């Protein structure tokens, strides 16, 4: 009698079953790795995303005055107000002075990004500039009266919303976003980048800023960088003009460092930078997320350094107080109009564009050649991120 043949214990059926078990186990292992990686990635994203503080109070205040704000004229162009706060509150900031419960804008920069993201123009606004500050909501809920005062008074009396409204009144430029960073946040970002290299023509020994540096190439850590951009009376000619020039040169060096491949393309180095950056920022709600910041940075990262420009709003000594500033007209209006309409701005670090410590920081129009169909843009005194003093 012929029976049904049984497979041999070591036959091909057993081999196929074993291979399938290994395939299933391998697939399961890969799946677990992917799940773990996805989970870790999501955890990192969630942490960075939650680091950013949304400025809800400012958003509510700006919405209250929406009908009074300027209208955006060019679709796709972006105007962002960068505010460096001199707040002494918080553990990391107490060493810079007593916390009086108020803060002022130590540094304010109007950043204009062209619609096609072909250029970025950063305009410093002097803290001592005399301006019309509107009536604003104070932190305690009361409202201040309109006042003609120094520009940084706006941040002291009404925070970022008051500063935004003051700049919009001054320039007639609609501000799409604002970002506030304090001393500690600035230091942490520089340290996360492993410092920023600058070049000094002479050594620095500033006791007030606790800054002692040799001449030549120097890599500044966070503490040194903060002293370098804030020091005023003992560096250069002691003017705010010189201080803003120094801040702009530092920002140019910072742009070069951030754009370098060893930062942007290296996740191990990029994460601490993102962690430090997001932890130190207070932004309008639209920017208060990784997605919001990514959308902004994505269009900026490929701008050539020669088209990343830095300048100071044209100003001169205030007629009633030489220790204060006022706008130079019509040059300031000319600059604001070009930014408002997303028209190119040119800068040059030329001696003839500077007339003394507090003189007009602007340039004249270049001569028009007969063959030129349109007049060239005016040239303002400034520099670009491509200009490397260490070169």
């Amino acid at each position: 009698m012929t029976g049904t043949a049984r497979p041999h214990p070591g036959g091909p059926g057993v081999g196929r079953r074993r291979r399938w078990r290994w395939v299933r186990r391998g697939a399961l292992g890969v799946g677990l790795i992917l799940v773990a990686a996805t989970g870790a990635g999501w955890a990192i994203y969630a942490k960075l995303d939650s680091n950013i503080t949304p400025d809800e109070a400012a958003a509510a205040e700006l919405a209250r005055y929406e009908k009074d704000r300027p209208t955006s004229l060019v679709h796709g162009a972006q105007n962002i107000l960068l505010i460096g706060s001199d707040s002494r509150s918080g553990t990391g900031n107490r060493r810079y002075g007593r916390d009086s419960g108020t803060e002022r804008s130590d540094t304010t920069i109007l950043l204009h990004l062209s619609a096609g993201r072909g250029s970025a123009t950063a305009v410093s606004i002097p803290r001592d500039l005399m301006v019309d500050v509107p009536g604003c909501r104070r932190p305690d809920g009361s409202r201040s009266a309109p006042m003609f005062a120094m520009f940084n008074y706006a941040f002291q009396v009404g925070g970022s919303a008051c500063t935004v409204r003051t700049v919009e009144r001054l320039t007639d430029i609609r501000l799409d976003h604002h970002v506030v960073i304090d001393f500690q946040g600035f230091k942490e970002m520089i340290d996360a980048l492993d410092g920023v290299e600058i070049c000094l023509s002479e050594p620095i020994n500033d006791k007030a800023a606790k800054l002692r540096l040799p001449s030549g190439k120097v890599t500044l850590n966070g503490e040194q960088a903060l002293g370098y951009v804030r020091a005023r009376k003992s560096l250069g000619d002691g003017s705010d003009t010189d201080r803003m020039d120094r801040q702009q040169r530092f920002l140019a060096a910072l742009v070069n460092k951030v754009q370098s491949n060893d930062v942007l393309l290296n996740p191990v180095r990029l994460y601490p930078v993102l962690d430090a950056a997001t932890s130190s920022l207070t932004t309008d709600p639209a920017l208060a997320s990784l997605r919001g910041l990514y959308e902004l940075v994505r269009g900026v990262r490929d701008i050539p350094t020669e088209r990343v420009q830095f300048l100071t709003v044209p100003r001169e000594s205030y007629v009633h107080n030489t220790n204060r500033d006022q706008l130079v007209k019509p040059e300031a209006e000319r600059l604001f109009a070009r930014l408002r309409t997303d028209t190119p701005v040119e800068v040059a670090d030329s001696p003839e564009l500077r007339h003394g410590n507090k003189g007009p920081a602007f340039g004249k129009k270049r001569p028009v050649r007969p063959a030129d169909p349109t007049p060239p843009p005016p040239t303002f005194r400034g520099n670009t991120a491509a200009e490397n003093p260490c070169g």
Side-chain angles (χ1 to χ4, degrees):
M1 187 175 180
T2 306
T4 303
R6 296 181 179 179
H8 189 275
V14 174
R16 282 195 298 271
R17 286 195 296 273
R18 288 176 178 172
R19 283 196 298 273
W20 275 112
R21 280 201 299 272
W22 281 109
V23 169
R24 286 196 297 271
R25 290 173 182 173
L28 178 61
V30 171
L32 290 174
I33 292 173
L34 290 175
V35 169
T38 303
W42 175 252
I44 291 173
Y45 179 92
K47 179 182 185 303
L48 295 176
D49 193 62
S50 64
N51 280 349
I52 310 169
T53 303
D55 201 347
E56 301 287 359
E61 179 73 355
L62 291 173
R64 176 189 177 104
Y65 293 95
E66 177 60 36
K67 67 180 188 321
D68 299 325
R69 300 182 65 191
T71 301
S72 297
L73 299 182
V74 180
H75 178 72
Q78 293 274 293
N79 296 293
I80 303 101
L81 196 65
L82 310 176
I83 305 170
S85 166
D86 70 353
S87 171
R88 269 68 170 179
S89 63
T91 304
N93 295 317
R94 291 173 184 165
R95 62 179 300 180
Y96 303 108
R98 182 176 60 86
D99 178 22
S100 62
T102 63
E103 54 184 331
R104 294 197 182 191
S105 50
D106 197 58
T107 300
T108 305
I109 294 174
L110 170 58
L111 176 63
H112 173 78
L113 305 177
S114 65
R117 298 299 185 265
S119 67
T121 303
V123 181
S124 296
I125 302 176
R127 60 184 184 180
D128 295 340
L129 187 69
M130 299 302 294
V131 297
D132 288 310
V133 178
C136 296
R137 183 183 185 280
R138 295 189 178 98
D140 63 4
S142 64
R143 305 200 74 86
S144 66
M147 182 179 294
F148 185 67
M150 290 194 305
F151 172 71
N152 66 351
Y153 173 74
F155 195 73
Q156 178 189 11
V157 71
S160 53
C162 193
T163 304
V164 167
R165 293 178 59 213
T166 300
V167 172
E168 289 186 339
R169 286 193 173 194
L170 181 71
T171 65
D172 199 27
I173 295 172
R174 173 74 178 219
L175 296 176
D176 303 287
H177 302 291
H178 67 270
V179 177
V180 182
I181 184 170
D182 64 14
F183 292 163
Q184 186 65 20
F186 175 82
K187 292 192 309 178
E188 289 176 354
M189 280 200 297
I190 301 305
D191 285 335
L193 285 166
D194 293 331
V196 173
E197 184 182 82
I198 62 168
C199 280
L200 301 174
S201 58
E202 56 186 29
I204 294 176
N205 186 6
D206 188 313
K207 293 182 180 179
K210 300 179 181 178
L211 190 64
R212 189 181 182 92
L213 300 170
S215 59
K217 289 185 179 181
V218 181
T219 299
L220 303 181
N221 62 27
E223 188 72 37
Q224 294 168 326
L226 181 63
Y228 179 73
V229 299
R230 294 194 67 241
R232 178 176 178 179
K233 295 182 179 179
S234 61
L235 293 185
D237 56 24
S239 68
D240 205 35
T241 298
D242 192 78
R243 188 177 80 112
M244 285 186 291
D245 286 348
R246 198 179 330 115
Q247 290 173 349
Q248 292 166 8
R249 289 193 297 271
F250 179 83
L251 288 174
L254 178 61
V255 168
N256 278 281
K257 182 63 177 282
V258 171
Q259 283 194 346
S260 63
N261 289 345
D262 62 340
V263 174
L264 293 180
L265 300 182
N266 187 336
V268 175
R269 297 200 63 194
L270 183 59
Y271 173 77
V273 175
L274 290 176
D275 190 32
T278 54
S279 298
S280 64
L281 299 182
T282 298
T283 77
D284 59 279
L287 272 187
S289 68
L290 275 186
R291 181 173 182 176
L293 288 176
Y294 173 74
E295 291 298 324
L296 181 66
V297 173
R298 183 176 62 176
V300 176
R301 63 187 178 189
D302 295 326
I303 296 177
T305 53
E306 61 270 16
R307 298 305 301 163
V308 178
Q309 304 171 125
F310 302 90
L311 66 150
T312 300
V313 61
R315 89 273 187 254
E316 61 190 356
S317 294
Y318 179 47
V319 291
H320 300 298
N321 186 341
T322 57
N323 292 320
R324 303 291 180 259
D325 292 327
Q326 66 183 22
L327 292 180
V328 175
K329 299 179 180 179
E331 286 74 18
E333 282 100 341
R334 186 183 301 158
L335 171 64
F336 298 150
R338 298 188 79 84
L339 297 177
R340 190 163 52 245
T341 57
D342 198 28
T343 308
V345 171
E346 298 292 334
V347 300
D349 189 10
S350 178
E352 60 265 23
L353 299 182
R354 182 171 186 171
H355 307 285
N357 293 342
K358 308 233 343 159
F362 59 88
K364 296 181 179 180
K365 289 184 178 180
R366 295 194 298 255
V368 181
R369 298 175 182 175
D372 289 344
T374 57
T379 301
F380 297 87
R381 189 180 67 84
N383 63 286
T384 73
E387 298 169 25
N388 182 8
C390 295

